[in-house]
């Protein structure tokens, strides 16, 4: 009764009140846009592989893929054997195994960092100069020839006084070499390790700003990752979260926060036998990093395991199970990237990632389809959940766990639709106007 009656709409506040409130909040609106621009919408690699500068060659990426395939052939020659090692359900055994092999053949490394820090160590200046110049040449050639990983770059030495000048010089030689070879590649990534104070981040930003001006590059063209490896980078002496200040100190150049498992653990006095990415100290650090980075467009990466899958098959299987479990644990905690230290880690990195996205595909797709079509179901989803569901499917597509066709069939959405849901306007409507 009364459903068809036209309601009388009345207000009490004059329009000037709303205008006054909007004017008073204008600085806050601008601050929100500046500090919390949201996810950049670009692909995030599932891992970072680091290779010492002197060991990096033109064949490194293909070599890692071939060695990973050889490990599979030797220690888990078919889908059933691989699934048995990792505890994969029968329905995922073949899809995961076949996709892992295809990935190792097509794109074994998603993100490669040529290391001039711990993995390289102190060297004579002339030697490091030459190694940095060679890294620039090889990376430029790889991009030109189509053999590069989607993302490549270097990890320089840190901003601490004993190695600061050396780190800056290596960075300069590397970037200058790329410019001379034709310009900076789109997938360029730089990593600044062992950051303790926000001022060190600002110093890195100043260096990159100076380089851009010299070469006439667009301001802000060069970004960098901040590696979190000290307790002071999480909690400052005044009780503030240093990592949050570091993001702002980067002045829009920070692209990622990478957790350094072993340096951070050692900094807190964790004994070597217990230094791992699932230690409570690691969980605390990454939780602070995650909250600090949320909404800023800066992505968080987990660390690595130093247990290598080498030796007899039983030992390899133990290392694989450990790495697979740690990777699955990280994915469930929304750490979608980690570090891999050995070619033998690649099979379980991709197995964990592919299983994570394939086992949740149908449920995620069904929930998103119901949301788009305003259909009922056993879960009531909101725009924020639609954003998360779309992000989940996009990450699965980017790494090769999912195919565009199957996602479109299950959701009725194109990739462009998914991207619109994953990156809605702040405080506004989703892609379908809900």
């Amino acid at each position: 009764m009364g459903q068809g009656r036209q309601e009388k709409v009345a207000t009490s506040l004059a329009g000037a009140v709303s205008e006054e409130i909007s004017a008073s909040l204008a600085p806050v609106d601008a601050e929100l846009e500046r500090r919390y621009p949201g996810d950049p919408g670009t692909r995030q690699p599932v891992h970072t592989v680091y290779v010492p500068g002197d060991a990096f060659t033109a064949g490194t990426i293909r070599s890692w893929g071939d060695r990973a395939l050889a490990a599979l052939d030797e220690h888990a020659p078919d889908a059933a054997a691989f699934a048995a090692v990792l505890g994969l359900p029968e329905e995922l055994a073949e899809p995961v195994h076949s996709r892992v092999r295809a990935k190792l053949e097509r794109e074994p490394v998603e993100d490669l960092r040529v290391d001039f820090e711990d993995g390289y160590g102190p060297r004579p200046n002339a030697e490091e100069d030459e190694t940095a110049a060679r890294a620039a040449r090889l990376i430029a050639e790889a991009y030109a020839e189509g053999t590069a990983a989607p993302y490549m770059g270097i990890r320089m030495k840190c901003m601490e006084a004993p190695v600061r000048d050396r780190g800056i010089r290596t960075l300069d030689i590397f970037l200058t070499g790329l410019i001379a070879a034709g310009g900076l590649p789109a997938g360029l990534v730089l990593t600044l390790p062992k950051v303790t104070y926000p001022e060190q981040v600002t110093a890195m930003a100043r260096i990159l700003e100076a380089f851009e001006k010299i070469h006439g590059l667009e301001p802000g063209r060069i970004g960098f990752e901040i590696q979190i490896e000290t307790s002071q980078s999480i909690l400052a002496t005044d009780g503030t979260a240093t990592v949050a200040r570091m993001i702002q100190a980067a002045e829009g150049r920070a692209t990622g926060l990478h957790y350094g498992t072993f340096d951070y653990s050692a900094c807190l006095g964790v004994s070597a036998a217990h230094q791992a990415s699932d230690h409570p100290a690691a969980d605390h650090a990454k939780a602070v990093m995650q909250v600090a980075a949320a909404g800023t467009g800066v992505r968080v990466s987990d660390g690595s395991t130093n247990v290598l899958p080498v030796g007899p098959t039983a030992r390899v299987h133990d290392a694989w199970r450990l790495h697979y479990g740690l990777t699955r644990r990280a994915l469930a905690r929304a750490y979608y990237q980690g570090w891999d230290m050995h070619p033998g880690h690649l099979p379980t990195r991709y197995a964990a990632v592919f299983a994570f996205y394939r086992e949740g595909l149908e449920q995620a797709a069904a929930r998103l389809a119901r949301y788009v079509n305003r259909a009922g179901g056993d879960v009531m989803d909101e725009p924020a959940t639609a954003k998360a569901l779309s992000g989940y499917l996009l990450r699965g597509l980017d790494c090769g766990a999912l195919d565009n066709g199957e996602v479109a069939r299950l959701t009725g959405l194109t990739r462009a639709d998914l991207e619109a849901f994953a990156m809605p306007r702040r405080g506004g409507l989703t892609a379908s106007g809900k």
Side-chain angles (χ1 to χ4, degrees):
M1 184 174 178
Q3 287 291 326
R5 186 172 64 187
Q6 184 75 27
E7 295 290 346
K8 181 179 179 180
V9 177
T11 63
S12 300
L13 299 176
V17 174
S18 181
E19 293 174 4
E20 181 182 343
I21 292 298
S22 293
S24 70
L25 290 177
V28 172
D29 296 338
E31 188 77 347
L32 279 170
E33 289 296 327
R34 185 177 72 85
R35 292 187 181 272
Y36 299 101
D39 189 86
T42 54
R43 174 181 178 179
Q44 181 180 11
V46 302
H47 70 169
T48 299
V49 161
Y50 81 85
V51 178
D54 58 325
F56 176 62
T57 70
T60 292
I61 292 175
R62 187 61 265 154
S63 172
W64 273 59
D66 291 343
R67 291 168 65 186
L69 286 166
L72 271 178
D73 290 338
E74 180 177 358
H75 302 294
D78 55 41
F82 196 42
V85 173
L86 303 181
L88 290 172
E90 184 178 352
E91 64 272 15
L92 285 180
E94 179 55 38
V96 168
H97 182 261
S98 62
R99 284 173 185 269
V100 167
R101 292 198 66 91
K103 181 74 169 181
L104 295 174
E105 291 166 356
R106 182 187 75 255
E107 188 183 74
V109 174
E110 292 197 358
D111 183 26
L112 185 144
R113 207 71 70 250
V114 183
D115 191 24
F116 288 89
E117 203 230 356
D118 285 349
Y120 184 74
R123 305 289 179 100
N125 283 329
E127 181 180 346
E128 184 159 341
D129 284 354
E130 184 176 354
T131 305
R134 184 168 62 90
R137 176 178 59 82
L138 292 176
I139 288 177
E141 290 174 355
Y143 276 105
E145 296 166 2
T147 59
Y151 299 93
M152 298 184 75
I154 66 169
R155 179 170 73 168
M156 59 190 280
K157 289 178 171 64
C158 70
M159 285 292 172
E160 293 178 359
V163 295
R164 182 186 304 138
D165 289 345
R166 181 63 260 180
I168 293 171
R169 180 173 174 83
T170 296
L171 176 65
D172 187 9
I173 291 171
F174 176 71
L175 292 177
T176 301
L178 289 178
I179 291 289
L184 304 182
L188 173 66
V189 189
L190 306 173
T191 304
L192 179 65
K194 293 183 175 62
V195 183
T196 304
Y197 285 86
E199 289 82 358
Q200 294 168 325
V201 175
T202 300
M204 181 69 164
R206 292 286 81 78
I207 293 166
L208 298 178
E209 180 182 37
F211 187 89
E212 290 166 350
K213 287 180 178 178
I214 290 169
H215 292 281
L217 300 174
E218 179 185 356
R221 163 65 181 85
I222 310 174
F224 61 97
E225 302 165 335
I226 302 168
Q227 198 155 17
I228 303 301
E229 301 177 273
T230 67
S231 60
Q232 297 93 337
S233 63
I234 294 297
L235 189 69
T237 54
D238 62 0
T240 60
T242 317
V243 65
R245 294 166 55 205
M246 287 177 178
I247 293 173
Q248 298 308 314
E251 300 174 359
R253 294 180 185 271
T255 59
L257 299 175
H258 286 235
Y259 176 67
T261 305
F262 307 105
D263 282 285
Y264 186 87
S265 299
C267 185
L268 268 64
V270 178
S271 62
H274 297 282
Q275 292 177 1
S277 61
D278 59 351
H279 190 279
D283 285 342
H284 171 259
K286 286 179 286 188
V288 174
M289 291 162 59
Q290 190 173 47
V291 173
T296 66
V298 178
R299 284 146 167 187
V300 175
S301 173
D302 198 0
S304 60
T305 175
N306 59 358
V307 179
L308 305 184
V310 296
T313 293
R315 186 176 301 168
V316 170
H317 286 181
D318 286 343
W320 272 355
R321 280 188 285 267
L322 173 65
H323 185 241
Y324 178 86
L326 290 173
T327 304
R328 287 302 307 262
R329 183 180 188 274
L331 290 167
R333 286 159 173 75
Y335 308 132
Y336 298 114
Q337 184 175 355
W339 283 62
D340 290 327
M341 301 179 68
H342 188 274
H345 286 142
L346 299 186
T348 38
R349 169 68 61 183
Y350 291 124
V353 170
F354 293 170
F356 176 74
Y357 290 112
R358 293 209 64 78
E359 69 187 15
L361 168 61
E362 292 192 4
Q363 183 185 51
R367 286 179 66 179
L368 186 57
R370 286 196 299 268
Y371 175 83
V372 171
N373 297 313
R374 303 190 183 192
D378 58 353
V379 178
M380 181 176 290
D381 287 324
E382 297 184 354
T385 307
K387 176 180 178 179
L389 291 167
S390 298
Y392 173 87
L393 296 173
L394 286 168
R395 285 189 293 272
L397 289 169
D398 284 342
C399 70
L402 310 177
D403 297 327
N404 283 307
E406 62 183 344
V407 172
R409 174 175 55 80
L410 291 169
T411 62
L413 301 173
T414 66
R415 183 182 177 98
D417 294 330
L418 293 175
E419 290 173 346
F421 276 110
M423 291 171 284
R425 297 187 305 275
R426 181 186 300 281
L429 302 175
T430 65
S432 64
K434 299 184 180 66

